[in-house]
Amino acid sequence: MGIASFLTADHGRSLFLPAHGRGKALPKEVKQLLKKQAGIWDLPELPDLGGPLLKHGEVALSQKKAALRVGSEKVWYGVNGATGLLQAALLSMVRPGQAVLMPRNAHRCLINACALSDLTPVLFDLPFMVDRGHVGPPNELWLRGVLEGIPISGVDIAAAVLVNPTYQGYSSDLGPLVELFHLHDWPVLIDEAHGAHFACGLELGLPASGLSVGADLIVHSLHKSAAGLVQTAVLWLQGNRVDPVAVERSISWLQTSSPSSLLLASCEAALNEWSRPAGQKKLRARIDQSRKIAIRLREMGLPFLENQDPLRLILHTGSLGISGFVADAWFIQRGLVAELPEPGCLTFCLGFADQRGFIKLFKRSWDELVAAQSSLEPFQPFVAPPIPLLMVPSMSCCDAWRSESREIPLGEAVGHFSADMICPYPPGIPMLIPGEVLDQRRVKWLLEQKDLWPDQIPSQLRVVQQKS
């Protein structure tokens, strides 16, 4: 078929990312731009255009206006996704040899940044929901318990990270958590990739954004939670705990020196969308429609779980003994393409396109799936990973990543240092990171996860070559 032909083919109703719904919810400026002469918008960093790190030009002016609208000191547009900006943010806060406190559900890109710059991740565990196999966000009481376990001998924590909301749309009250970290004089980075709409500035009953609770650095993925094209993201800076020069130097290491002018225009348009009456009206309509969809489907008896982001619908397939992967394949055949299949759930991203007709189509497909099952016994509770509340890798991520390594069967990895990550994607949350040493319980748990995540967890693990 070829890539170009594939892109224009019918792929069913898009209940997956990007959130613009295959162009239906793209901002007017981007739609008009793409209708122009092919490639006319593909420009380098001309003097009058500039780029995210240049002081003059349309991009610099656009970033300045965006920061003023939300009251932040600085903002940088990104063209290699939230990944590049999260990594740059982390490297701007923490020096090589220092440590960063982060939750166990931190995205793999942050672990990669630790390996890249020789930072020590101090990972704290999170509440685990055994009925669905998800971790939830920490609340203030949970985080106080984490902080009571610090200091860990020989670990110099310089900053903290929070993930809010999670991929599935779980969110907590960020304000007290940021305040607790600031009491330790740690700058706080919020991975808010899935929550750009929380910062829209409208009263929509959404959770608070890191921008409104005083976090120091906040990263938004504009294709995940706004109407941007894939790879568009923004990094916001507030306060004086992080040096903007350090941020810009880090971005220059990790972002292309030839940023796409189309993606930069998409960053601007996605942020402008919510500052205009028409865009605000559209956002209100989508949030209201999403809430009504969830309420109606629950009233009809479908097992949708509660979360805090109305744009994410979590179908609890495991409550009827159906794997999320089985359900995903079933729905795809019927033109309903979800975002995140997991062993016990299937998450749909409603996004910013109109989802009229979704309820009827979904209910019919679900009823057919249920009728096709020979048994509807709920899954047994999922097993939480056997990890302590606080964990520091036994070997630095950097050393483990760069050391001589070899592959061995996962079942024979007891006593070895991992040289790589085990990380189903999506959601991109590591189950094992470089530098962790594997004990019998951890290997047993990973083998159990392998049975639950088809084709996502390898049979072989790369481990550090032990010297004889």
Side-chain angles (χ1 to χ4, degrees), residues 183-206:
L183 288 175
H184 287 74
D185 202 29
W186 296 330
V188 181
L189 165 63
I190 307 288
D191 176 356
E192 205 166 274
H194 294 276
H197 52 307
F198 293 1
C200 65
L202 303 176
E203 291 296 329
L204 298 175
L206 298 172

Side-chain angles (χ1 to χ4, degrees), residues 321-377:
I322 303 171
S323 160
F325 299 104
V326 170
D328 188 41
W330 179 276
F331 282 118
I332 288 174
Q333 291 174 359
R334 286 150 184 82
L336 293 167
V337 187
E339 168 63 22
L340 174 61
E342 298 175 276
C345 293
L346 185 59
T347 298
F348 298 85
C349 297
L350 296 179
F352 301 103
D354 191 343
Q355 296 295 346
R356 202 172 308 169
F358 172 75
I359 293 175
K360 183 179 179 180
L361 179 59
F362 191 90
K363 177 68 163 60
R364 181 174 67 246
S365 299
W366 173 250
D367 287 346
E368 291 170 352
L369 172 60
V370 171
Q373 305 306 305
S374 58
S375 172
L376 296 175
E377 288 294 319

Side-chain angles (χ1 to χ4, degrees), residues 104-243:
R104 192 78 210 193
N105 68 336
H107 191 269
R108 65 183 184 182
C109 72
L110 290 173
I111 302 301
N112 287 337
C114 289
L116 178 68
S117 196
D118 197 15
L119 315 180
T120 299
V122 180
L123 297 172
F124 63 89
D125 198 16
L126 294 165
F128 188 80
M129 293 176 271
V130 297
D131 64 328
R132 65 202 71 175
H134 291 164
V135 295
N139 58 23
E140 183 179 1
L141 181 62
W142 184 278
L143 193 57
R144 286 186 181 277
V146 169
L147 294 176
E148 286 174 3
I150 298 171
I152 299 173
S153 177
V155 177
D156 175 22
I157 296 176
V161 174
L162 289 168
V163 177
N164 196 76
T166 69
Y167 209 130
Q168 299 87 0
Y170 302 120
S171 180
S172 60
D173 184 4
L174 277 179
L177 311 186
V178 172
E179 186 176 341
L180 281 174
F181 287 144
H182 281 169
L183 288 175
H184 287 74
D185 202 29
W186 296 330
V188 181
L189 165 63
I190 307 288
D191 176 356
E192 205 166 274
H194 294 276
H197 52 307
F198 293 1
C200 65
L202 303 176
E203 291 296 329
L204 298 175
L206 298 172
S209 165
L211 279 166
S212 63
V213 299
D216 303 279
L217 294 170
I218 305 96
V219 172
H220 288 149
S221 170
L222 298 181
H223 89 263
K224 289 184 172 73
S225 48
L229 295 170
V230 168
Q231 290 185 224
T232 57
V234 286
L235 169 59
W236 309 91
L237 179 145
Q238 300 185 130
N240 56 12
R241 289 183 179 83
V242 181
D243 182 0

Side-chain angles (χ1 to χ4, degrees), residues 125 383-388 439-446 448:
D125 198 16
V383 178
I387 53 177
D439 60 17
Q440 186 66 54
R441 291 179 64 216
R442 191 72 175 282
V443 170
K444 179 176 180 292
W445 180 80
L446 286 169
E448 291 169 353

